Amino acid sequence: MTVPHPRLTLTEEVREALHDGRPVVALESTIISHGMPYPQNVEMATQVEEIIRAGGAVPATIAVLHGRPCIGLTPADLELLATSTDVTKASVRDLAYVMARGGHGATTVAGTMRLAALAGISVFVTGGIGGVHRGAPVTFDVSADLTELAATNVAVISAGVKSILDIGLTLETLETLGVPVLGYGTDEFPAFFSRSSGFPSPMRVDSAREIAAVMHARWDLGISGGVSIANPVPEDDEIPASQIDGIIEQAVAEMEKAGISGKEATPYLLGRIVELTNGESLRTNIALVKNNARLGAQVATEYATLR
């Protein structure tokens, strides 16, 4: 049993589940503070936690509140994250700064992975992972999510790389970093809003038990680093690539014209795409997160059995 780091604040529900070796699923908080508008963000966060509980696991939404890394949040905490204008988008590099200043931080994929690992949580559900941004050969804009996947022993379930990124370069980078990329029930790597990206899945798995077996074998060998599981958005909820690609290109062009970059790029693009699709992308985003939560509960349960 991994003993959670003493600087972490765990809810009683999460603490007891970890102590007893029961399945726990980590959830990020950037999607609440910077990824969706209010009140859909709170509704989504609450529903995703309910899905994980219904799947037999314990949800642990992660954030920094009042300078304390929190593993598991109360309804009041979720409301604060969803409505406050004073919440930092916190990747790994930002955690110490937010903590030292006693501030609030909504954790990114990378930040959530690191805190989840410190708590002893091995499965993490998100919407989409970050990656290599378009134009990165010039800007060097590459998400810390990728280097964290190379270093931290957490399995990350997503609907693939966010469509606003360079998916091909992201997959190449993950290969270089030695991160297994598993396509769940698909031979083609999904593209967040769409089931199709035009790139093959590096590896295919067809059950939660297979995913858990890969996690167990990797870490049992002493190989450090995460596992990326790409779970395609349900067919009824997807926005086909032929429809969304032009919208993304328009949003990227507008962002570049406005001079927006760095950690502000993804929130801007996702928000602009919601506008350009008249809310359809938001509905798809919510659907894919819920779909990932269902799989995450299954994987956490299977992995707890193996351990």
Side-chain angles (χ1 to χ4, degrees):
M1 181 185 71
T2 301
V3 178
H5 193 282
R7 294 198 69 163
L8 304 179
T9 298
L10 282 68
T11 62
E12 195 61 31
E13 179 187 29
V14 172
R15 184 179 299 279
E16 289 180 358
L18 291 172
H19 179 271
D20 297 342
R22 291 185 282 121
V24 179
V25 177
L27 298 162
E28 59 147 302
S29 47
T30 291
I31 194 171
I32 302 170
S33 294
H34 299 88
M36 292 184 185
Y38 183 82
Q40 289 95 331
N41 49 7
V42 173
E43 294 169 357
M44 177 277 305
T46 302
Q47 290 167 359
V48 166
E49 289 194 349
E50 290 171 353
I51 287 169
I52 288 171
R53 288 193 180 95
V58 171
T61 304
I62 293 177
V64 179
L65 298 176
H66 308 287
R68 293 283 300 185
C70 296
I71 314 298
L73 302 180
T74 66
D77 294 334
L78 293 176
E79 192 74 20
L80 184 155
L81 285 169
T83 58
S84 175
T85 58
D86 190 27
V87 179
T88 300
K89 183 181 178 184
S91 188
V92 173
R93 70 163 189 177
D94 309 296
L95 291 175
Y97 181 75
V98 175
M99 289 171 62
R101 293 168 63 90
H104 305 317
T107 51
T108 64
V109 168
T112 304
M113 283 185 71
R114 184 65 64 94
L115 293 177
L118 289 172
I121 301 172
S122 301
V123 178
F124 164 38
V125 162
T126 185
I129 63 170
V132 180
H133 282 251
R134 303 183 187 201
V138 175
T139 65
F140 288 88
D141 192 350
V142 179
S143 172
D145 295 355
L146 302 189
T147 49
E148 196 64 25
L149 273 163
T152 300
N153 295 11
V154 173
V156 182
I157 298 169
S158 72
V161 178
K162 293 187 178 77
S163 315
I164 57 178
L165 305 174
D166 189 316
I167 295 174
L169 289 182
T170 300
L171 289 171
E172 290 287 354
T173 302
L174 286 169
E175 180 184 4
T176 300
L177 295 172
V179 178
V181 177
L182 313 178
Y184 179 66
T186 180
D187 293 315
E188 183 170 4
F189 189 78
F192 194 63
F193 295 122
S194 311
R195 294 174 61 85
S196 172
S197 69
F199 295 93
S201 291
M203 307 169 191
R204 174 172 175 153
V205 289
D206 292 296
S207 70
R209 180 170 294 184
E210 280 186 84
I211 295 169
V214 172
M215 295 161 57
H216 186 264
R218 177 175 174 83
W219 298 329
D220 194 46
L221 282 173
I223 302 175
S224 297
V227 178
S228 176
I229 300 101
N231 182 30
V233 59
E235 191 170 352
D236 290 344
D237 298 304
E238 79 162 329
I239 304 176
S242 58
Q243 179 182 339
I244 196 70
D245 285 350
I247 292 171
I248 292 172
E249 289 173 6
Q250 178 182 339
V252 169
E254 292 175 358
M255 180 188 72
E256 292 173 347
K257 185 176 181 180
I260 297 169
S261 61
K263 63 163 58 179
E264 303 305 323
T266 297
Y268 170 85
L269 287 172
L270 291 177
R272 184 65 180 125
I273 291 167
V274 170
E275 295 172 351
L276 293 172
T277 61
N278 295 316
E280 187 177 355
S281 66
L282 178 59
R283 290 189 290 273
T284 296
N285 198 346
I286 293 170
L288 65 84
V289 173
K290 290 180 178 179
N291 189 49
N292 293 340
R294 295 183 191 98
L295 178 59
Q298 295 171 20
V299 172
T301 299
E302 293 288 353
Y303 187 65
T305 301
L306 283 176
R307 292 185 69 186

